[in-house]
Amino acid sequence: MALNFVLDPPVDQHLRDGVLTLWTDVTNAGGAVGFVPPVTPEDVRPQWVEHLAAMSEGRMRLLAGYDEDGSVAATAFITFNTHRLMSHWVWLYTVMVHPRHHGNGHGRALLAACEDAVRGMTYGDGRRFEAIRLTCRGGLGLERFYASCGYKEIGRAPDAIRLGEGEYRDDVLMLLPLN
């Protein structure tokens, strides 16, 4: 069953609870979304509140994927650059699909929906965005997945992510040109 993607869904209790549950479940399943397992919803809540604030200020937009039950099953946060020389591209943050939906092509569908959403947005004097950038945690094969979706690795910071004492991962920078 395909996910239903919605750009800028209403921020109600269903969305708030759904994203918090999704983020917690993805993290606890080993997902690289800013935390190290185990986490509780209370551990994740401050970061979610920061995303909500950025959304309310117009600095970030949410693309949410809903499953057939109406549950939040996937997210990606599209963040705009504030630097005037970099306003022609956006960041993707907190790209995640619930573990129960892995292996069904929903990750690819989420990235395609992000690309479509960004292609429909404008910046400055109405110009279209030229690229999407994201970073991913090395050591999990994520860079291969993003590459298979058209992203190119354009940089790597060795051992930039510290998961714990003596446990480091590369921070991998990926780019999807939109022209």
Side-chain angles (χ1 to χ4, degrees):
M1 174 63 80
L3 298 181
N4 177 36
F5 294 104
V6 178
L7 182 63
D8 303 321
V11 179
D12 56 16
Q13 198 61 46
H14 177 72
L15 180 73
R16 289 175 193 269
D17 292 346
V19 171
L20 201 55
T21 298
L22 171 65
W23 207 334
T24 301
D25 291 351
V26 167
T27 299
N28 287 332
V33 288
F35 296 92
V36 177
V39 296
T40 67
E42 292 311 308
D43 297 324
V44 175
R45 187 178 309 279
Q47 189 66 48
W48 176 211
V49 169
E50 284 185 26
H51 279 39
L52 287 168
M55 289 164 49
S56 72
E57 295 167 2
R59 296 181 290 118
M60 179 181 280
R61 296 179 73 179
L62 169 61
L63 182 71
Y66 295 89
D67 65 17
E68 62 277 359
D69 297 329
S71 298
V72 179
T75 62
F77 292 84
I78 301 164
T79 303
F80 305 106
N81 286 300
T82 56
H83 192 287
R84 68 187 162 280
L85 300 180
M86 296 184 199
S87 61
H88 61 288
W89 55 268
V90 299
W91 284 106
L92 282 190
Y93 288 111
T94 322
V95 177
M96 53 188 169
V97 173
H98 197 282
R100 74 175 170 270
H101 294 293
H102 286 185
N104 296 316
H106 296 317
R108 288 182 190 288
L110 174 61
L111 291 174
C114 287
E115 182 179 343
D116 289 345
V118 172
R119 284 183 187 280
M121 297 175 189
T122 60
Y123 73 97
D125 60 357
R127 290 173 287 169
R128 299 283 178 197
F129 287 102
E130 297 174 24
I132 300 171
R133 289 171 68 172
L134 59 82
T135 63
C136 63
R137 186 183 300 171
L140 299 172
L142 296 171
E143 57 269 51
R144 287 189 305 277
F145 168 71
Y146 287 117
S148 74
C149 295
Y151 287 76
K152 303 201 178 353
E153 182 176 329
I154 58 170
R156 181 179 290 258
D159 295 339
I161 301 170
R162 184 175 182 262
L163 301 177
E165 189 61 40
E167 189 174 356
Y168 297 89
R169 298 288 185 276
D170 293 353
D171 187 26
V172 183
L173 180 60
M174 309 288 293
L175 174 78
L176 178 70
L178 296 177
N179 46 15

